[in-house]
Amino acid sequence: MAEAIDVHRVFAEYFPKIKPWAYAVSEALSEGSICVNTEVYKTDVESGIKVNPCISEDELLDLRTLDESDFVTSNPAIKLSPFVLEEGKFLYMQRYFEYQARIAEKINRLVEAEKKKIPARLKWLTENKKLIHDIFETGHPVSDDGLDDIEKIDWQKVAALNSCLHNFSIITGGPGTGKTTTVAKILAILYNQIPELKVALAAPTGKAAARLGESLRNSIALNSELKRISDRIETLVPKTIHRLLESLPMSSLFRHNSENPLGHDLVIIDEASMVDVALMCKLLDSVHSENRIIFLGDMNQLSSVEAGSIFGDLCKTQETFINHLSPERMKFCNEFLDRQIPSDMVLDQKNENPLSQHVIHLLRNYRTESKEITKACKLIVNREKGKLLKLLDSYQEIKMGDAFKPEAGKDHLGSQLEAMALAYIDYITEPDIKEALKKLKSFRVLCAIREGGNGVYKMNKKIEQLLKNRVNQLFTEKKISDEFSNETENQELFNPSGTFYHNQAIMVTSNNYELDVFNGDVGLVRRKSKDDPTLIAWFESADPEKPRAILPGYLNEWETVFAMTIHKSQGSEFDSVAVILPENENNRILTKELLYTAVSRARKNLLLKSCPTVLEAATDREVNRASGITRLF
């Protein structure tokens, strides 16, 4: 068997005198970091934590080689080189250093441009206090049970007021905290202020974009004041960021850029934690400094697959002072609030930076389905593993099962997971395509890894076999019927065989603009009718009443999706979730961000299948992506 090529080593060969450092930067990029802290890296190599094949056994990493190399510059404005050494210790590939610098520069321009507009915006908001009150009127009381004093504050309203004042805004919060609801209310305010407002909605993936549109429509339906702008919302079609910026064929460039900016007054980006540093740079370049951009996301969630954790880094610029406001801004916001922001959250001038007041963290979870799941998420974020284990042992809505010790007479899935997985029978026995697609979204198995006994591939096979056995049993007992059966042919309701099969759940794994399906879209394969065995792949469309039909042979990249990776689940939520963690507690993929993302996908019920030691290790380990964003603000 051929030995795998070490691409980092191949890259490093182009830079002979600094090969170890070139290797380090290339490897760091593949792991999501955009730079290397050379002092930390040197210590890690010398202690054996890191292995660098470009260093011989008796050789030491020499920082001086960077100062002496023509491949490295400390000032790219004077000298262009492949690598940039910042502050004498942070080593970047030149391109990523530029991305980072341009992001900071663009945000600073947006913040600077808004300053002259804030007085007029403050005046309009003050004069329209009743309108804003009506927009935020829920019509039903919200319980404050279990909340601390800070969580009881209406941070949604604070986020909306600040977003209406600023050109650059970040609204962060976990599932159920109302990020999309806040956006709907921001739109209601701004459409009243600027009726001709041009708005763009976008997200990193097609799935996330579609969900943004659906969430906005649901938010409007719950509020009479918001219903007045429903016609405006209906005309907004969320897009992927690539489609919004208009990708140029055979290129990483876009039609919209700093020289040809977007023509929208307001750009709203959902699931911003999934945006990598390169795309974030190009997106910000495309927004004119006089206009607005709002980023929505969860700063505790997994970062982008590609290099950078830019959204989380921008939130971290506020550290413990997130949601703190200047005395003037606090007084203004408190005029709109029933529960006042306390004086100990006044922003001290010495802690101010350009992003102060531009990042608002939504703290209250408005969902009532499972407060225990919300509590579990908090414990994971705070790395309180002991309390987390105790919580999982105490409540019915969330359970902890041992994925590695099958019960007597049971398959390796275990009885708890089998009971949850059998929920898939609901969509299999639902004859209406539209309803079947809805039921398919109610439950999902999430795996941390793809390979191995607890990986996606094996788990999909096990669930397929479980469903086949149970469906055939129920069919034989005449407890269910097959609407697609033909009396002259023995067609089975669920029989996994071949590339595609009747009642197969699939997920698209790449964007296909011609078919209008995108990475992460989940669909259902079914026979056309009882008289026509042609298989059709059905997907939800912009019109919930009219699912889209596609011949599955046209789908180039897809996979069966009874189980999916936690990474792929970002941007989705399910009523019930089973999370399957690997056996090896030293697996580096296990982090608190991964665990938090998985657990926070569940609305009502959660089954976490893991050894306690694996769960503890995951809660303890944090994603550590190196960047210099926080140093630029």
Side-chain angles (χ1 to χ4, degrees):
M1 185 175 178
E3 187 177 343
I5 296 173
D6 187 340
V7 293
H8 311 308
R9 192 165 190 167
V10 172
F11 173 79
E13 292 293 337
Y14 288 95
F15 309 99
K17 294 184 179 179
I18 57 165
K19 272 200 296 187
W21 293 114
Y23 185 96
V25 173
S26 179
E27 182 183 46
L29 282 171
S30 72
E31 295 172 349
S33 294
I34 64 171
C35 68
V36 171
N37 183 325
T38 56
E39 294 175 357
V40 172
Y41 187 83
K42 186 175 188 297
T43 302
D44 286 349
V45 169
E46 291 171 356
S47 64
I49 295 174
K50 284 276 188 183
V51 176
N52 190 315
C54 295
I55 306 171
S56 59
E57 286 186 18
D58 56 348
E59 187 181 1
L60 294 176
L61 266 174
D62 190 351
L63 294 170
R64 290 174 300 178
T65 59
L66 295 173
D67 295 325
E68 298 165 358
S69 175
D70 290 335
F71 294 128
V72 183
T73 182
S74 60
N75 190 342
I78 296 175
K79 176 188 174 185
L80 280 178
S81 298
F83 299 94
V84 177
L85 185 63
E86 182 188 39
E87 297 182 8
K89 66 176 181 178
F90 299 104
L91 186 64
Y92 297 79
M93 280 182 64
Q94 191 268 345
R95 178 163 46 120
Y96 286 90
F97 179 84
E98 288 298 324
Y99 285 149
Q100 178 180 279
R102 278 164 55 192
I103 287 170
E105 180 186 4
K106 184 62 186 189
I107 291 173
N108 280 317
R109 284 186 185 179
L110 285 160
V111 171
E112 192 61 33
E114 76 194 15
K115 289 179 180 177
K116 62 181 181 293
K117 298 186 177 187
I118 284 180
R121 292 172 178 175
L122 282 167
K123 183 174 183 292
W124 189 92
L125 291 169
T126 302
E127 291 171 350
N128 288 273
K129 196 179 294 183
K130 184 182 183 307
L131 168 70
I132 292 164
H133 172 79
D134 292 343
I135 288 171
F136 277 85
E137 181 57 49
T138 61
H140 55 84
V142 180
S143 173
D144 285 344
D145 291 348
L147 301 178
D148 62 34
D149 290 342
I150 302 301
E151 290 173 326
K152 291 175 184 176
I153 295 167
D154 190 349
W155 292 110
Q156 284 189 12
K157 189 178 285 188
V158 176
L161 291 168
N162 277 299
S163 296
C164 289
L165 291 171
H166 296 151
N167 286 5
F168 178 85
S169 303
I170 287 177
I171 301 174
T172 185
T177 54
K179 297 185 291 293
T180 311
T181 300
T182 305
V183 163
K185 293 172 180 179
I186 290 169
L187 289 174
I189 295 170
L190 292 178
Y191 276 136
N192 274 281
Q193 183 183 11
I194 313 165
E196 68 281 5
L197 188 77
K198 295 177 182 177
V199 179
L201 305 177
T205 67
K207 176 183 65 175
R211 193 163 172 273
L212 172 60
E214 180 186 351
S215 299
L216 274 175
R217 287 190 292 271
N218 292 340
S219 297
I220 287 168
L222 300 174
N223 183 299
S224 57
E225 190 63 37
L226 295 181
K227 285 179 182 176
R228 292 173 50 193
I229 63 163
S230 60
D231 58 328
R232 305 294 299 273
I233 296 295
E234 291 297 332
T235 63
L236 299 177
V237 179
K239 301 177 179 180
T240 63
I241 297 172
H242 284 77
R243 180 168 268 191
L244 174 67
L245 300 183
E246 299 182 33
S247 303
L248 296 176
M250 308 297 290
S251 169
S252 61
L253 303 177
F254 297 95
R255 192 171 80 83
H256 291 291
N257 49 42
S258 57
E259 295 179 0
N260 180 32
L262 293 164
H264 301 87
D265 305 304
L266 169 63
V267 176
I268 297 170
I269 305 296
D270 197 14
E271 296 294 344
S273 65
M274 298 165 64
V275 182
D276 62 79
V277 67
L279 185 57
M280 179 69 81
C281 178
K282 293 167 186 178
L283 173 63
L284 284 167
D285 269 350
S286 74
V287 177
H288 197 284
S289 299
E290 295 297 316
N291 295 331
R292 291 180 169 99
I293 186 165
I294 300 173
F295 290 100
L296 312 175
D298 187 343
M299 64 181 179
N300 294 311
Q301 196 171 285
L302 283 166
S303 301
S304 60
V305 175
E306 302 298 329
S309 52
I310 187 68
F311 181 82
D313 289 344
L314 290 171
C315 292
K316 285 176 185 174
T317 62
Q318 302 311 293
E319 297 183 314
T320 57
F321 303 104
I322 200 164
N323 289 12
H324 286 223
L325 306 175
S326 69
E328 298 78 16
R329 184 65 57 82
M330 183 178 289
K331 181 181 178 183
F332 168 76
C333 289
N334 275 339
E335 290 175 2
F336 293 80
L337 299 173
D338 295 328
R339 186 174 292 275
Q340 306 284 281
I341 304 170
S343 57
D344 61 1
M345 294 188 74
V346 168
L347 186 65
D348 193 317
Q349 277 190 331
K350 70 175 183 293
N351 298 315
E352 277 192 67
N353 63 46
L355 286 180
S356 295
Q357 307 183 131
H358 290 74
V359 183
I360 299 296
H361 188 192
L362 305 183
L363 301 174
R364 180 201 289 254
N365 191 312
Y366 288 86
R367 290 192 187 141
T368 58
E369 294 99 327
S370 178
K371 293 181 179 179
E372 286 72 40
I373 292 174
T374 301
K375 187 173 181 180
C377 288
K378 287 182 181 178
L379 294 175
I380 293 167
V381 169
N382 296 327
R383 299 168 71 178
E384 298 182 70
K385 55 191 177 185
K387 291 182 179 179
L388 177 63
L389 288 168
K390 186 176 180 181
L391 178 72
L392 291 168
D393 213 27
S394 305
Y395 290 94
Q396 289 301 308
E397 292 84 356
I398 55 177
K399 307 181 182 74
M400 183 173 173
D402 192 334
F404 316 120
K405 294 179 181 177
E407 299 171 39
K410 291 288 182 182
D411 189 311
H412 197 69
L413 278 175
S415 60
Q416 292 174 316
L417 180 53
E418 282 193 7
M420 293 183 81
L422 287 172
Y424 282 128
I425 290 177
D426 287 347
Y427 92 78
I428 292 171
T429 57
E430 172 57 62
D432 183 79
I433 292 291
K434 174 170 62 72
E435 292 302 316
L437 285 167
K438 287 181 182 177
K439 290 180 177 180
L440 178 56
K441 295 193 296 183
S442 66
F443 170 67
R444 195 73 82 244
V445 175
L446 304 182
C447 302
I449 54 178
R450 289 190 171 274
E451 307 286 351
N454 296 312
V456 166
Y457 302 130
K458 287 280 181 69
M459 204 57 60
N460 269 315
K461 291 294 183 186
K462 290 176 182 178
I463 294 172
E464 282 180 323
Q465 190 59 49
L466 169 71
L467 292 173
K468 178 182 177 180
N469 294 342
R470 184 57 63 89
V471 168
N472 288 343
Q473 176 190 348
L474 295 173
F475 189 67
T476 302
E477 295 171 356
K478 299 187 184 302
K479 292 181 179 178
I480 57 174
S481 61
D482 187 352
E483 297 288 330
F484 290 85
S485 286
N486 188 312
E487 293 178 4
T488 63
E489 296 179 19
N490 182 23
Q491 297 187 83
E492 293 177 287
L493 187 60
F494 190 84
N495 182 23
S497 60
T499 305
F500 294 103
Y501 58 86
H502 183 51
N503 275 317
Q504 180 183 15
I506 62 172
M507 177 174 65
V508 176
T509 56
S510 66
N511 294 336
N512 189 321
Y513 292 100
E514 289 184 8
L515 296 177
D516 202 29
V517 290
F518 302 95
N519 187 5
D521 283 355
V522 171
L524 169 59
V525 176
R526 277 194 172 171
R527 302 185 196 110
K528 200 169 187 179
S529 71
K530 67 178 182 179
D531 299 315
D532 185 348
T534 303
L535 292 173
I536 301 293
W538 295 92
F539 294 87
E540 290 183 329
S541 67
D543 184 349
E545 299 300 314
K546 296 179 180 178
R548 185 167 56 261
I550 298 171
L551 287 171
Y554 286 121
L555 299 172
N556 295 325
E557 297 180 52
W558 58 274
E559 57 190 34
T560 302
V561 73
F562 298 107
M564 66 195 299
T565 63
I566 296 168
H567 277 85
K568 281 287 186 183
S569 74
Q570 290 188 89
S572 299
E573 290 177 12
F574 311 95
D575 288 341
S576 301
V577 166
V579 180
I580 316 294
L581 299 183
E583 296 184 52
N584 182 5
E585 64 194 69
N586 296 316
N587 192 318
R588 290 176 63 191
I589 199 171
L590 292 170
T591 63
K592 75 167 189 175
E593 289 84 0
L594 184 90
L595 185 59
Y596 170 85
T597 300
V599 170
S600 62
R601 298 311 93 196
R603 292 193 191 97
K604 298 179 181 179
N605 300 291
L606 170 71
L607 174 64
L608 185 54
K609 305 270 296 175
S610 169
C611 291
T613 53
V614 170
L615 189 67
E616 288 177 337
T619 310
D620 260 347
R621 191 180 290 119
E622 288 187 272
V623 172
N624 185 18
R625 291 189 169 188
S627 84
I629 285 292
T630 55
R631 297 193 297 275
L632 298 180
F633 290 99

